[in-house]
Amino acid sequence: MQGSTPFPRPGIPSQVAFDRKEMGVIMGLYGRMVAAGEWRDYGISCLRETAVFSVFRRTAETPLYRIEKHPKLRNKQGMYVVFGMDGQILKRGHDLKTVLRVLERKLIRSVD
């Protein structure tokens, strides 16, 4: 165990999480989708290198979408990613609101 420390170094978080502003944006979309009957449940995971917000249509099934935050990719392709049910990347970018627009298309319906 030489060269490694049992405690996280100062300034380096032991896990990644969504901050209050990011959660406000995500929960705003979540509330609209619940009201529209599209989504029903969610789960949040804060891991060492990634924070994940998973969206479910029903409890105890695979997530419809995963919204992930990867701070290490901040200077590359962007730290926010939206994955579909099959694991396909739907949108990636630097701005959370812009990335989440790919999910808001379900709310747009024609009015007769």
Side-chain angles (χ1 to χ4, degrees), residues 3-72:
S4 66
T5 60
F7 303 106
R9 291 178 281 177
I12 298 176
S14 60
Q15 66 182 13
V16 176
F18 292 104
D19 63 29
R20 183 180 299 244
K21 183 179 175 187
E22 292 165 336
M23 283 305 298
V25 171
I26 293 170
M27 293 308 286
L29 173 63
Y30 178 79
R32 291 191 304 276
M33 295 301 263
V34 167
E38 296 288 331
W39 297 352
R40 187 168 177 185
D41 200 8
Y42 71 91
I44 299 175
S45 300
C46 298
L47 308 171
R48 173 168 244 137
E49 296 183 9
T50 306
V52 182
F53 186 94
S54 301
V55 177
F56 300 89
R57 187 178 313 262
R58 289 177 207 83
T59 309
E61 68 175 22
T62 58
L64 286 174
Y65 302 104
R66 286 187 341 260
I67 302 162
E68 296 189 6
K69 176 182 177 180
H70 298 268
K72 285 188 175 183

